[in-house]
Amino acid sequence: MALKHEPTAPYDSTQDALRVLETVARHTTGVTDAELTRETGLGTERLTPLLRMLRREGYVEQITDGAYVTGAALTRLASAHHHEEALRGRLQQTLERLRDCIGAAVYLSRYVDGEVTVIQYADGPATPAVNEWVDFRSCAHATALGKSLLGQLDHDGRRDHLSRHKMARLTSRTITSDKLLLSRLASQPPTVPVLDLQEYAVGTVCAAVPITAGSTAGCLALSLPVEHAHRLRRAADTLNRNATRVLLSLAI
């Protein structure tokens, strides 16, 4: 099994952000905007929003003379002793901010050892998580996050997964034809969110965007009650625009 690597906007933003962080880290006493522009090759129109995002996430800080230095969040993530704990905490904070920004439950999922795995999620009283009435591992064909993960595999990887998991009909909208599903996965543009319009559960709509980091397929997803279906595409676009935050945490 192999992953399909197709560039999307979050990957470009992550690479640019990592370039900025590496430059800041080299200048232990601080680096100015002008120096960052010169050393990273990024124009002001690109650098300014990246610095704003990196400051908001705590990866860089601005000192009294306006120069930038590494922030507390980056220091914690860089510590090998506390890396896993710090990463989980950082991801949870990011998911909770996305939940509040979008107004929907948000999920981080990865394809681990041939199975769909929800790593972390953020929900709340006003943004309840979807009721997992059927194990997500057995119904990738019916969920937005499952289809997003399968879409990042090559053709053989998708067929292998479907050979191990029967495509059960969960609602009247569920796709149960492997030929149809494989066709839709093959034609899904990597930059367009995958949708689940009551395919997994009646009363729930979902969307997912890819965030592959390294050799493991991953995705960010959200769920909404069907009465908020009119917000789904806009919410999915917001999720996609903010995927860089999660990718950056995974890449550090």
Side-chain angles (χ1 to χ4, degrees):
M1 180 189 74
L3 297 185
K4 293 170 59 184
H5 290 287
E6 298 177 84
T8 60
Y11 298 102
D12 295 338
S13 296
T14 302
Q15 292 306 310
D16 290 345
L18 286 172
R19 199 184 318 167
V20 172
L21 285 178
E22 288 168 359
T23 305
V24 173
R26 285 199 305 270
H27 293 263
T28 55
T29 58
V31 57
T32 66
D33 297 71
E35 290 170 327
L36 282 170
T37 297
R38 184 173 63 253
E39 294 187 30
T40 63
L42 298 173
T44 303
E45 72 287 346
R46 183 71 176 139
L47 182 61
T48 299
L50 280 175
L51 284 171
R52 188 182 306 121
M53 183 270 289
L54 292 172
R55 287 181 64 190
R56 186 169 56 242
E57 295 297 309
Y59 293 126
V60 301
E61 296 174 2
Q62 202 166 16
I63 53 181
T64 52
D65 63 357
Y68 293 91
V69 295
T70 54
L74 183 63
T75 302
R76 285 194 297 271
L77 284 175
S79 170
H81 183 63
H82 298 292
H83 180 74
E84 290 302 321
E85 180 182 348
L87 174 58
R88 187 169 183 83
R90 166 59 44 181
L91 287 172
Q92 192 62 34
Q93 289 177 2
T94 301
L95 293 178
E96 289 172 0
R97 281 199 292 270
L98 284 174
R99 174 201 63 197
D100 296 341
C101 173
I102 298 170
V106 178
Y107 314 77
L108 172 62
S109 183
R110 304 189 81 175
Y111 196 72
V112 181
D113 297 329
E115 301 295 347
V116 171
T117 305
V118 176
I119 304 298
Q120 290 178 236
Y121 68 94
D123 64 350
T127 54
V130 63
N131 175 32
E132 190 178 351
W133 74 285
V134 177
D135 194 323
F136 287 146
R137 291 175 296 181
S138 64
C139 54
H141 65 290
T143 63
L145 63 86
K147 287 184 286 185
S148 179
L149 294 174
L150 292 180
Q152 296 172 62
L153 308 181
D154 61 15
H155 183 74
D156 290 342
R158 295 169 188 167
R159 281 206 168 276
D160 171 72
H161 183 92
L162 296 178
S163 73
R164 293 183 285 107
H165 296 282
K166 177 179 171 57
M167 294 176 60
R169 184 176 298 280
L170 305 181
T171 77
S172 63
R173 295 174 176 263
T174 307
I175 297 173
T176 56
S177 163
D178 58 349
K179 182 178 180 180
L180 177 58
L181 179 64
L182 290 169
S183 174
R184 291 194 178 179
L185 291 175
S187 62
Q188 173 75 26
T191 56
V192 176
V194 179
L195 303 181
D196 157 19
L197 304 177
Q198 301 189 86
E199 297 170 52
Y200 172 74
V202 173
T204 301
V205 295
C206 305
V209 297
I211 56 161
T212 301
S215 59
T216 304
C219 74
L220 274 176
L222 65 87
S223 64
L224 288 167
V226 71
E227 55 265 29
H228 293 285
H230 61 282
R231 295 203 293 116
L232 183 62
R233 291 188 183 276
R234 181 175 294 182
D237 289 339
T238 302
L239 191 71
N240 203 18
R241 287 196 305 273
N242 286 277
T244 300
R245 299 185 191 181
V246 178
L247 268 173
L248 193 56
S249 295
L250 294 172
I252 294 174

